[in-house]
Amino acid sequence: MRVLGINALFHDPAAALLVDGQPVAAAEEERFSRRKHGKRPVPFSAWELPTEAASWCLAEAGLRPEEIDAVAYSFDPSLAEPAADLELDDPWDPLRLTYARQAPEFLCSALPGLTPDQVHFVPHHVAHAASGAFAAPDAERSSVLVVDGRGESASHLAARRRGTVLEPLHSQQLPHSLGLVYEELTEHLGFLRSSDEYKVMALASYGKPRMASELARYVHSTEDGGFVARDVPWESFAPPARAGQGWTQEHADLAASAQRCLEDTLLDMARWLHGRTHDQLLTMAGGVALNCVANARLAAEGPFADVWVQPAAGDAGTALGSALAFAAAGGETTAPMGGADLGRQWSDAELHDWLTRAGVPFEQPDDVSEEVARALADDAIVAWFQGRSEYGPRALGHRSLLAHPGRSANLERLNDVKGREQFRPVAPMVREERAPEIFEGVLPSPYMLFVHEVRSAWLDRIPAVVHTDGTARIQTVGRDREPRLARMLEEFERLTGLPVVVNTSLNTAGRPMVDDPRDALECFGSAPVDLLALGPYVVRRAGFFDRAGGEGGRGR
């Protein structure tokens, strides 16, 4: 069966393709359109579809729209209730629902050859749940927890997987929503709602949860597996912050208090779920599952032996999840994700042609991993562009900015390069076999979805990647899946004695992650990056700007 999954209604539009139960391609529309998150989550944009992402997924598999068996759309308008009935302040929500009902016709227009009967609605939280339970390895018997802003009429789903069956156990009805409460706080702290929630998580590390007990009056779990989360009087805790004016200690304390309430509530929900399923494995999805601090606490203090989080846990992941849910409901055996690298890639010959056409002086070293390791050891900042792009918001060694972790100034330097707030941390990547010596927490951790305590012996050795609370959000690198990356880490350790490299996403503030070679060259040209490693080729900053006369690209 060939199933195209589509997420479009709220934000992070994306497409994913499943062929005979195997995920073969997945991409977010932002990587093509170059609009962060694809679009804003307002009713007036609900009609916009991930047309380019869907077209690429089909082309990657050599399929035409008429050759698809089904399109799975990750929202079911028949389950939606009017926003007023849900006590949501969303007067234009009927427009969003109108667009959702017309999605089959919109898709047929966007992908000529489709017919409306090929399009099937999949409940939003079922799509999220499937993106966890069916994509995780060895999850035939597992529990799943979905927490986000909103779906059709709920904001949460607890379920269990048994083979090809997802059995719902509980859902929290709107207007109670942990995701929407966190969005409100994001806006109150002067950040962009439905975009900058991760900044609140970072800011929380600078505060103390002194307001948590009072805030828990508005955000807490209930005894039935659900929660209360609504009507928080934010101004009674701290005055609103204005965008661009910085934060105060009061704001950091409020962020820390909200983070604590979120974690406590999730822990209670996980305990309730485990009490019904007694499973060893918990899989997680939904935008709240991108909160790596909460995930780490769930793994450390929760009742499940193992926790696996979908790397595209936000709404983009429902494209894959809707396809998996539809296939499994049809009795098809689905395969777990082999990795998050499900996006576009270019051959070495194609990359050579890109560089030549761009007229950029470039080289082909004998070993690009060694060349990059030497540059990093000399304190260069390196743009690393290798293989297929990542599905989800984390740079996982395919579209990354790399730097030396032993220089504490590199945190400020990278935040300046990217145009980010200085309170935000950068992450370390480390070879899988070396991670237990340096970090304490969930291991392996290939998707940067948990924070880890940095062992005391390493705090002063890798200061650029240690957050203010002594933690780091790590990515472990396995040699079997990432041989070129592992080789670079090995060589960097030989040169410096450090088995860790700084890894942050290859983009600048407000821009989607780099996806194609043109994006990489534009980012390299506009930001103070010293070296670009594009496949087996390297471009040096001096050569990039000293090519007067336009000699054109060359390789050796």
Side-chain angles (χ1 to χ4, degrees), residues 88-99:
L88 295 175
D89 182 16
D90 194 354
W92 288 99
D93 192 56
L95 180 63
R96 179 186 283 117
L97 295 181
T98 296
Y99 287 145

Side-chain angles (χ1 to χ4, degrees), residues 4 14-15 20 52 54 87 90 133 247 274 334 401 437 440 442 459 503 516 556:
L4 179 68
D20 297 330
E52 292 187 73
E87 301 180 51
D90 194 354
W247 53 275
H274 185 264
T334 58
L401 277 175
E437 175 189 346
E440 182 179 355
V442 176
L459 288 170
N503 172 29
D516 73 12
R556 66 169 178 82

Side-chain angles (χ1 to χ4, degrees), residues 67-88:
E67 295 175 311
I68 302 169
D69 294 300
V71 177
Y73 183 87
S74 62
F75 187 90
D76 186 347
S78 71
L79 301 178
E81 298 178 27
D85 292 352
L86 296 171
E87 301 180 51
L88 295 175

Side-chain angles (χ1 to χ4, degrees), residues 487-530:
R487 171 77 182 122
M488 182 273 294
L489 288 165
E490 287 174 348
E491 182 63 15
F492 182 76
E493 182 175 9
R494 187 187 71 80
L495 293 169
T496 66
L498 299 176
V500 171
V501 165
V502 177
N503 172 29
T504 188
S505 55
L506 182 50
N507 66 334
T508 52
R511 298 284 292 165
M513 206 183 309
V514 159
D515 197 75
D516 73 12
R518 183 190 305 276
D519 305 333
L521 288 166
E522 288 178 351
C523 185
F524 181 69
S526 63
V529 176
D530 301 297

Side-chain angles (χ1 to χ4, degrees), residues 171-256:
S171 65
Q172 177 59 58
Q173 295 300 107
L174 292 164
H176 296 282
S177 170
L178 290 169
L180 291 181
V181 162
Y182 214 85
E183 286 183 18
E184 290 170 4
L185 175 60
T186 300
E187 187 173 47
H188 186 75
L189 293 176
F191 305 124
L192 181 61
R193 181 174 181 157
S194 297
S195 176
D196 292 348
E197 282 69 29
Y198 55 90
K199 296 182 183 180
V200 177
M201 182 182 68
L203 181 60
S205 297
Y206 290 85
K208 297 185 182 302
R210 60 182 178 83
M211 310 171 190
S213 59
E214 178 67 17
L215 188 58
R217 293 173 54 195
Y218 306 95
V219 180
H220 60 264
S221 62
T222 52
E223 295 181 357
D224 60 356
F227 52 84
V228 169
R230 63 174 301 191
D231 299 332
V232 180
W234 296 111
E235 293 196 20
S236 70
F237 292 95
R242 293 185 178 180
Q245 289 193 351
W247 53 275
T248 66
Q249 190 59 52
E250 195 172 20
H251 293 132
D253 290 350
L254 177 55

